[in-house]
Amino acid sequence: MAPQRFHEQFDHIQRAMPDIALAMGPYDDGAAHFLYEKGVVLARDGEEARVVEDTVRAHFTATAGLVPDHVRREGPQANRTGVTRIRIGDPAEGTDSVPHALRALRDAEGRQGRRLVGRNHLVHIAVNACPSDEPVPVPRGRPANPAAAEGRYDAATAARVLVVDTGLVHDHGGYPLLAHTTGDTQPAETDADGALRQYAGHGTFIAGILAAVAPNTEVTVRNTMSDAGAILESEFGARLFEAVDEGGWPDIISLSAGTTTEGTDGLIGLDAFMRELREQRTLLVAAAGNNSSNAPFWPAAYAALPEYEGSVVSVGALSADGESEACFSNHGPWVRVFAPGERLTSALTGFDTPVPYVYQHSTYDTCRFGFDYTCTCQLPRHTGVLSEGRESTGAKPHQVMFDGLAQWSGTSFATPVVAGLVAAHMTAQQERDPRAARDLLLASATDTTEVRGARVTVLRPPTWRPASAVDAAVPV
């Protein structure tokens, strides 16, 4: 992953979350994998939190001259997520003590035989703060891709899908496929200049894909990640519980967010939610991430853990021709299925009144992941506000207008394709168990492709077409 884009997005997120001090995770081959909160670690409530607190306090008092008050718990000590925030270090110094604390706890974790502590990661819909691309306007009259499948909405038989993302744009009702979509409207869609904010419309775009693939679906969108598409791990578990509590556990959760970690462990902040999910019949369909990496991306990577493989399916993205993985898609044995995710067309915003958008990132001369096809890293060409070197060259950021539909790429959008296919299978086969529907759908899948030397299962909606075929069918 190109460090340039990562740094640009890091600055954007930090400005959007000024009260939270963020840091970049360790680098591997020149690429930062994740963001996290400075000076805070997470532990499970109870005895484990006490062990963490005592161990870190003893280590820092002996080696760094800190006083006991410099290791302290924050917030309520008993909550449904079962997580305790522990702040480490002198807040007046502004330094990050988390790496030292993690090293101090290695021996204690060895004695306990399990991980006791983790960073407070930033979970982000742009997956590791590096979006595969930004939305592109499409001409009026261009069809959605995937196009709307045959069928109609019937409240009595509809599959229930919960989208945890950014909220719906205010004029989403101008798109017929979203007539039965409910949920939260995203506040502050535009900035002070009236331009669309980055990631505004992300949840709406996902809802449009779901409704196209599975018309007989009751889609609810929750505005969980409206702050630059990001949320701290310590808050994310609670927000997921709130989302399912509001309307009850749905058939399917479509989640296009996550993060990698320093190792191969999951997220302490999601432990309680994942355990409760496992006991429900809900299926979590989660994006594999856009880092062109095989590093596990959580919560999608829970699909590879035996205790969660029945309740989670992880989704990678196919290229625009549908024949191979998209350049940006994560991969590896923990990614269970691939679906179209490059240059899809769905609802964005501007149905009532066209709305401008100013690009944040510049495109590249060549694919930033080293692929040799014409990918979204390169086209369509534009210059972004955040791009390094823009001011020195005098290049002005490009602005476009959206008036309804858009083209967008990412595992974020391959995810609702799979969620929609599972939902459609449920209603077509009158199957009320989404996990059984997923199993039957994957068992009947005959398409595969090769990704990094491995054959992987591919799901393509019947109404999806390669981007080149859609382009050829639209009059110029």
Side-chain angles (χ1 to χ4, degrees):
M1 180 176 66
Q4 174 182 330
R5 182 71 69 89
F6 183 89
H7 284 277
E8 291 170 4
Q9 195 63 13
F10 172 82
D11 292 341
H12 171 74
I13 294 170
Q14 185 63 89
R15 286 193 296 272
M17 307 174 77
D19 297 331
I20 300 171
L22 298 175
M24 296 182 184
Y27 278 70
D28 179 16
D29 297 329
H33 283 297
F34 55 83
L35 302 178
Y36 66 97
E37 185 180 13
K38 283 184 180 180
V40 172
V41 294
L42 302 182
R44 299 174 188 88
D45 290 343
E47 179 63 18
E48 291 190 10
R50 186 193 63 77
V51 169
V52 169
E53 192 175 20
D54 291 348
T55 302
V56 174
R57 180 177 287 119
H59 173 79
F60 275 70
T61 301
T63 63
L66 299 180
V67 299
D69 285 347
H70 290 163
V71 179
R72 61 203 180 281
R73 301 188 190 193
E74 293 187 334
Q77 301 310 309
N79 58 74
R80 190 172 175 187
T81 65
V83 172
T84 296
R85 284 171 52 96
I86 302 175
R87 184 168 292 279
I88 300 164
D90 185 349
E93 294 183 1
T95 56
D96 182 24
S97 301
V98 169
H100 304 291
L102 296 179
R103 286 194 291 270
L105 280 155
R106 284 175 182 164
D107 289 342
E109 289 181 326
R111 291 191 297 272
Q112 294 278 337
R114 65 180 295 186
R115 187 176 59 135
L116 297 175
V117 67
R119 301 172 193 261
N120 192 14
H121 298 90
L122 194 76
V123 180
H124 200 276
I125 62 171
V127 289
N128 273 5
C130 189
S132 58
D133 75 344
E134 295 174 81
V136 177
V138 298
R140 283 191 177 273
R142 184 189 183 99
N145 190 26
E150 292 185 4
R152 61 182 181 85
Y153 174 76
D154 173 28
T157 61
R160 296 173 58 236
V161 181
L162 172 65
V163 175
V164 178
D165 206 271
T166 63
L168 294 162
V169 295
H170 75 282
D171 58 351
H172 69 276
Y175 188 52
L177 286 179
L178 296 182
H180 304 289
T181 299
T182 61
D184 305 327
T185 301
Q186 180 174 337
E189 294 173 22
T190 56
D191 61 20
D193 297 322
L196 195 66
R197 293 180 182 271
Q198 197 170 13
Y199 309 125
H202 193 269
T204 305
F205 195 95
I206 286 169
I209 293 173
L210 275 163
V213 175
N216 192 20
T217 304
E218 181 182 306
V219 179
T220 302
V221 180
R222 291 294 168 221
N223 182 44
T224 304
M225 315 187 78
S226 61
D227 291 334
I231 189 171
L232 287 173
E233 177 185 341
S234 57
E235 301 173 10
F236 190 43
R239 296 296 299 275
L240 287 173
F241 275 126
E242 289 174 8
V244 297
D245 286 348
E246 189 158 352
W249 285 86
D251 296 314
I252 300 166
I253 299 174
S254 181
L255 178 62
S256 296
T259 180
T260 52
T261 61
E262 191 167 1
T264 57
D265 296 313
L267 303 175
I268 286 178
L270 291 190
D271 274 357
F273 180 82
M274 295 303 299
R275 287 195 303 271
E276 192 160 332
L277 169 73
R278 185 178 57 195
E279 301 308 314
Q280 305 293 328
R281 65 178 186 80
T282 298
L283 177 68
L284 174 62
V285 184
N290 300 341
N291 304 313
S292 194
S293 167
N294 65 357
F297 185 80
W298 307 92
Y302 282 103
L305 302 183
E307 62 267 43
Y308 295 112
E309 62 181 0
S311 51
V312 182
V313 59
S314 46
V315 184
L318 294 174
S319 57
D321 63 7
E323 298 301 321
S324 64
E325 82 271 30
C327 68
F328 51 79
S329 182
N330 284 349
H331 51 87
W334 55 274
V335 183
R336 292 295 184 237
V337 65
F338 281 71
E342 188 173 49
R343 296 194 172 113
L344 301 188
T345 304
S346 182
L348 190 71
T349 191
F351 292 98
D352 290 344
T353 304
V355 60
Y357 179 76
V358 180
Y359 282 105
Q360 302 297 299
H361 305 283
S362 296
T363 44
Y364 293 75
D365 293 332
T366 59
C367 175
R368 66 184 187 272
F369 302 114
F371 281 63
D372 59 4
Y373 75 97
T374 304
C375 62
T376 55
C377 297
Q378 304 160 268
L379 292 174
R381 301 288 295 176
H382 50 248
T383 299
V385 172
L386 302 174
S387 299
E388 296 177 0
R390 179 185 62 80
E391 293 182 358
S392 62
T393 62
K396 294 182 178 180
H398 289 168
Q399 177 175 303
V400 293
M401 297 294 293
F402 286 103
D403 61 354
L405 302 188
Q407 193 176 80
W408 214 344
S409 303
T411 58
S412 280
F413 312 123
T415 298
V417 168
V418 173
L421 287 170
V422 174
H425 195 84
M426 289 179 65
T427 55
Q429 302 301 319
Q430 299 183 2
E431 171 61 69
R432 301 312 303 169
D433 183 347
R435 298 178 186 181
R438 180 270 316 270
D439 293 342
L440 291 170
L441 184 66
L442 293 180
S444 63
T446 58
D447 287 344
T448 63
T449 192
E450 184 173 311
V451 175
R452 314 297 174 111
R455 300 302 299 184
V456 300
T457 299
V458 167
L459 293 176
R460 300 183 183 90
T463 60
W464 171 83
R465 290 189 294 168
S468 58
V470 175
D471 292 340
V474 177
V476 178

